[in-house]
Amino acid sequence: MADALSSAEALAASGLGWKVVQKEILTEDGEPVSGFKANVRDSDEKVLGIVSDRYRVVQNEEAFAFTDRLLGEGVRYETAGSLNGGRKVWVLARMPREYIMLGDRVSPYMVFSNTHDGSGAIRVAMTPVRVVCSNTLNLALGTAARSWSAMHTAGVQDKIGEAEHTLFMAERYMDALGREFEALSRIKLADHKAEDCMNALLPLDEGMGRVQKGNIRKLREDMKARYFDAPDLRDVPKNAYRFLNAVSDFSTHGKPLRGSANRRESLFAKVMDGNAALDKAYGLVKSIA
């Protein structure tokens, strides 16, 4: 994108210009607690987590420097930010190559995520995005790895070779994804079959309450509208590829709940996680083949 940022710009714009410092943990009597440190944000002295002495802090600026090295000169950052008060941070960068799959432009993005509270590893993953509607199309293709992780026990810059290997594997994933899209395009879906898949994806259960059943019925109708009438799918034949795009787009961009405390949360997200939905939809259409 023309407005994508450099690493320095993204670091400043995302509010991630702070550092994590490690401080001793003291008992009420002022005695240090051995074996553990507190990870503290230097900008406001907020404690992000309690970690062991072996924990190696990876600063936010190191994450951007690592991504710069990994993807090469000229990498452009789409977005970056933090969750849970800074305990988790992420960086999203567009990879230089774009793919054409079944007439769609599919652009791979690299996500670098890190935690400052000791709850998880450093992780690099590649995610393919269908550019026309910005929906993600991650499929669980077991033979094509696309992620790498490392614990906080060594310098992340020392791990660059391992991460580069993962990106090489990600190229294989994109090739496998293209072949899978071709196979999905050959699975024809009559209208009633598509509706059967939607009903199986969003099942009604006798144990559900009236409101929950009403929500499921509404989601079914909204998903039907997305599958049958979405402008970006108008020229896509009624097949399994179209169905997965509809599910992915719906789970990613479902309308937010009215009156919700978190207006970004969709009704669909309350019923099913987006990745779980795509995996289930993938299994449903593959069973038709």
Side-chain angles (χ1 to χ4, degrees):
M1 293 183 179
D3 57 351
L5 305 176
S6 67
S7 58
E9 292 168 336
L11 186 66
S14 61
L16 296 179
W18 42 268
K19 293 183 181 297
V20 175
V21 295
Q22 290 193 313
K23 296 189 176 183
E24 283 191 335
I25 303 170
L26 304 178
T27 67
E28 290 184 355
D29 298 327
E31 294 296 321
V33 177
S34 63
F36 294 92
K37 301 286 186 183
N39 281 353
V40 179
R41 183 165 56 197
D42 70 349
S43 60
D44 58 1
E45 296 295 305
K46 178 182 175 65
V47 176
L48 301 177
I50 306 300
V51 298
S52 76
D53 280 344
R54 296 182 65 243
Y55 184 97
R56 161 72 161 81
V57 173
V58 175
Q59 303 290 355
N60 298 335
E61 62 184 5
E62 288 184 89
F64 284 91
F66 180 83
T67 309
D68 281 345
R69 283 186 63 198
L70 188 59
L71 295 184
E73 186 177 352
V75 58
R76 305 296 287 178
Y77 293 85
E78 297 290 321
T79 187
S82 63
L83 296 170
N84 300 328
R87 292 177 179 85
K88 182 175 183 177
V89 298
W90 85 92
V91 175
L92 181 71
R94 178 180 284 207
M95 294 170 71
R97 181 179 171 188
E98 212 168 53
Y99 297 78
I100 304 298
M101 297 181 181
L102 297 181
D104 283 335
R105 286 192 301 135
V106 177
S107 184
Y109 287 77
M110 196 203 77
V111 183
F112 181 108
S113 62
N114 183 29
T115 60
H116 293 307
D117 62 356
S119 64
I122 305 155
R123 188 165 184 265
V124 174
M126 188 275 296
T127 183
V129 175
R130 184 168 172 259
V131 174
V132 69
C133 64
S134 297
N135 69 355
T136 56
L137 286 166
N138 287 314
L139 297 182
L141 304 179
T143 58
R146 65 179 189 281
S147 65
W148 164 87
S149 63
M151 302 304 293
H152 289 81
T153 54
V156 67
Q157 300 296 341
D158 298 333
K159 302 286 188 176
I160 193 78
E162 294 178 18
E164 284 175 340
H165 178 68
T166 295
L167 289 189
F168 172 74
M169 297 296 290
E171 290 282 323
R172 295 186 184 180
Y173 176 81
M174 293 301 291
D175 291 340
L177 192 66
R179 291 192 297 273
E180 191 59 31
F181 286 170
E182 290 284 350
L184 290 167
S185 72
R186 294 192 289 270
I187 302 174
K188 307 304 178 185
L189 282 185
D191 289 354
H192 74 277
K193 282 286 189 182
E195 292 192 24
D196 286 346
C197 287
M198 292 178 211
N199 292 343
L201 183 65
L202 294 162
L204 282 169
D205 188 278
E206 288 303 317
M208 292 178 176
R210 181 179 59 84
V211 173
Q212 192 175 8
K213 285 182 178 179
N215 287 340
I216 294 294
R217 291 190 181 99
K218 182 182 185 304
L219 286 173
R220 285 179 174 183
E221 291 304 314
D222 289 347
M223 187 172 288
K224 288 175 187 176
R226 188 70 57 99
Y227 174 77
F228 289 112
D229 303 321
D232 62 289
L233 296 177
R234 191 168 294 141
D235 297 327
V236 179
K238 291 179 179 178
N239 55 33
Y241 177 72
R242 177 176 177 142
F243 180 74
L244 284 183
N245 270 287
V247 171
S248 178
D249 191 35
F250 188 79
S251 62
T252 305
H253 304 296
K255 295 178 182 177
L257 283 170
R258 293 175 182 168
S260 170
N262 178 4
R263 294 191 61 82
R264 292 173 298 175
E265 183 180 35
S266 69
L267 177 58
F268 189 92
K270 287 181 72 68
V271 174
M272 182 181 295
D273 171 78
N275 288 333
L278 194 60
D279 287 345
K280 186 174 180 179
Y282 179 61
L284 287 168
V285 294
K286 291 292 282 186
S287 69
I288 296 172

